[in-house]
Amino acid sequence: MDPLSALRDFTIRGEVDKIVRVNDEFRFGTEYSFPCSAETAYRSKQGNLYNLETQVFYIQNHHLKHTDYMHNSLARRIPAVTFTDRKPLLDYLTGKVSTSDSIVWNPPKFPDEFRPDPSGFDPDSAKPKEIEIADYMGIIRSVEKPLKDREGILECKNKDFYSVIVAATKREEERQRLESQQRKDGLVAKSRLMGAEEGGLGLSYGDDMMGYDSKPKMHLKGSKLGEGVPIILVPSAFQTLITIYNVKEFLEDGVFVPTDVKVKQMKGARPECVTPEDWDRVVAVFVLGKEWQFKDWPFKDHVEIFNKIIGFFMRFEDDSVESCKIVKQWNVKIISISKNKRHQDRAAALEAWDRLEEFVRGRSHS
């Protein structure tokens, strides 16, 4: 007799309690014995054959709510009967129906009858064993039926992923736009802070002896600086990182744009320049690190220059020490930036603003 027929026979006879587990097999009284893992002829709607252990546990617990039954089966690491199979299987096992479309009559062959020796039967060993730790994922995988692998999904027909790419691209562009705006807002807020009513400061950028007019809204008030818009002197020579061409993007947007790239973008145009007639308005200078930069300046030496004007020297962080050997002898602030990590430019720009603010406020009260 096969396991399914034996289980149905004992269920109809009301002798399910006589089905006991002994190690890795079920004993049906003294009549039959089958392996717990033996597949039966009953196929689930998912396509797999239920084994004997699943069906015995179900018929012994069919009175439970489905959620309680599932919890108990998972705790014992026993594959469960699905919700849709519960009633049809119960009707067949209890004899309410004589057959079922789910039955496939080609089960493994078992001996017609096996009668264990009653004298060697140990009642204590017949008690079902509980397992404290359940491998939930293992139980779920045991009843999984793969439909497609990842390669099969990507090769699916009549599917167009263009809209997905477009949506992802738009999200990335929006993210970059917001980050750029946040950087700019932070630096603008910093410059506005320096331009507050008490000792307010608006800035123009100068090309050594020539100045770039940024049309600031605020002018210096109540300080010992020369009247008018304070000026930052910036080299026009390409030998330094910050020039008259890219200083605006660096200080106001927090982004370093190489001078050659900026010149190409401007297509030969040059920033509008004005002549700084009053040296008392000059508050800062980006230095080249060359002595000739200060030729014809109205100061007697470097000590006087950098007592009245704060100096900045920009360099790449991995440049050699020799690149700033001369500058280290002057009272200037060396600011390092990365060659490739543009997201770090904002911190360098804010550092320049902080030093400039500190210097201007100290100069205003001296």
Side-chain angles (χ1 to χ4, degrees), residues 99-114:
T99 186
S100 170
D101 293 336
S102 298
I103 296 176
V104 181
W105 284 114
N106 57 346
K109 301 296 182 180
F110 295 94
D112 288 339
E113 186 174 346
F114 175 80

Side-chain angles (χ1 to χ4, degrees), residues 256-314:
F256 170 73
V257 180
T259 297
D260 57 341
V261 174
K262 188 62 182 176
V263 169
K264 290 180 181 179
Q265 292 176 353
M266 297 176 67
K267 298 180 180 180
R270 182 180 174 84
E272 184 179 352
C273 294
V274 294
T275 302
E277 299 177 352
D278 187 355
W279 277 90
D280 287 337
R281 293 168 52 198
V282 178
V283 294
V285 59
F286 280 85
V287 301
L288 282 166
K290 307 291 184 181
E291 294 283 353
W292 54 260
Q293 182 182 8
F294 308 109
K295 184 180 179 180
D296 298 328
W297 282 35
F299 305 100
K300 64 180 181 180
D301 55 28
H302 299 119
V303 175
E304 184 181 1
I305 291 174
F306 297 119
N307 278 339
K308 295 183 177 181
I309 302 171
I310 184 172
F312 295 109
F313 179 74
M314 297 290 298

Side-chain angles (χ1 to χ4, degrees), residues 85-96:
D85 284 332
R86 280 179 61 113
K87 188 176 186 305
L89 177 59
L90 183 63
D91 288 346
Y92 176 74
L93 292 177
T94 56
K96 289 185 178 180

Side-chain angles (χ1 to χ4, degrees), residues 200-212:
L201 177 66
L203 295 173
S204 287
Y205 306 115
D207 175 8
D208 284 345
M209 297 297 293
M210 303 296 289
Y212 171 74

Side-chain angles (χ1 to χ4, degrees), residues 138-152:
I139 296 172
I140 293 172
R141 290 193 183 100
S142 68
V143 296
E144 284 182 345
K145 183 179 181 182
L147 299 178
K148 286 180 179 290
D149 57 18
R150 61 182 181 182
E151 293 181 359

Side-chain angles (χ1 to χ4, degrees), residues 148-345:
K148 286 180 179 290
D149 57 18
R150 61 182 181 182
E151 293 181 359
I153 292 175
L154 292 175
E155 294 174 357
C156 60
K157 298 179 180 180
N158 302 322
K159 294 291 183 181
D160 183 7
F161 293 98
Y162 178 74
S163 60
V164 177
I165 297 175
V166 171
T169 302
K170 287 183 177 180
R171 283 197 297 270
E172 178 62 18
E173 291 176 348
E174 179 64 14
R175 183 186 67 80
Q176 293 180 359
R177 187 190 68 78
L178 290 174
E179 287 184 355
S180 176
Q181 187 62 44
Q182 288 172 355
R183 286 198 304 269
K184 188 169 184 177
D185 289 347
L187 290 169
V188 169
K190 187 69 176 178
S191 63
R192 293 286 173 81
L193 175 63
M194 294 178 63
E197 283 299 321
E198 295 184 7
L201 177 66
L203 295 173
S204 287
Y205 306 115
D207 175 8
D208 284 345
M209 297 297 293
M210 303 296 289
Y212 171 74
D213 185 5
S214 61
K215 295 183 174 60
K217 297 180 180 180
M218 298 182 181
H219 291 248
L220 197 65
K221 296 183 179 179
S223 74
K224 295 184 180 181
L225 287 171
E227 294 186 4
V229 180
I231 297 173
I232 297 177
L233 296 181
V234 187
S236 59
F238 283 28
Q239 296 98 317
T240 184
L241 297 184
I242 296 298
T243 67
I244 194 66
Y245 295 95
N246 63 4
V247 63
K248 185 177 178 65
E249 282 77 10
F250 178 70
L251 288 180
E252 295 186 10
D253 298 338
V255 178
F256 170 73
V257 180
T259 297
D260 57 341
V261 174
K262 188 62 182 176
V263 169
K264 290 180 181 179
Q265 292 176 353
M266 297 176 67
K267 298 180 180 180
R270 182 180 174 84
E272 184 179 352
C273 294
V274 294
T275 302
E277 299 177 352
D278 187 355
W279 277 90
D280 287 337
R281 293 168 52 198
V282 178
V283 294
V285 59
F286 280 85
V287 301
L288 282 166
K290 307 291 184 181
E291 294 283 353
W292 54 260
Q293 182 182 8
F294 308 109
K295 184 180 179 180
D296 298 328
W297 282 35
F299 305 100
K300 64 180 181 180
D301 55 28
H302 299 119
V303 175
E304 184 181 1
I305 291 174
F306 297 119
N307 278 339
K308 295 183 177 181
I309 302 171
I310 184 172
F312 295 109
F313 179 74
M314 297 290 298
R315 66 185 291 270
F316 286 128
E317 58 189 7
D318 55 353
D319 283 349
S320 65
V321 178
E322 291 294 324
S323 66
C324 56
K325 183 177 181 180
I326 296 178
V327 175
K328 284 187 175 180
Q329 301 175 22
W330 303 340
N331 183 25
V332 302
K333 172 60 182 175
I334 298 175
I335 298 178
S336 301
I337 62 174
S338 171
K339 286 185 177 180
N340 304 307
K341 301 174 182 177
R342 298 279 65 84
H343 64 279
Q344 296 180 359
D345 295 341

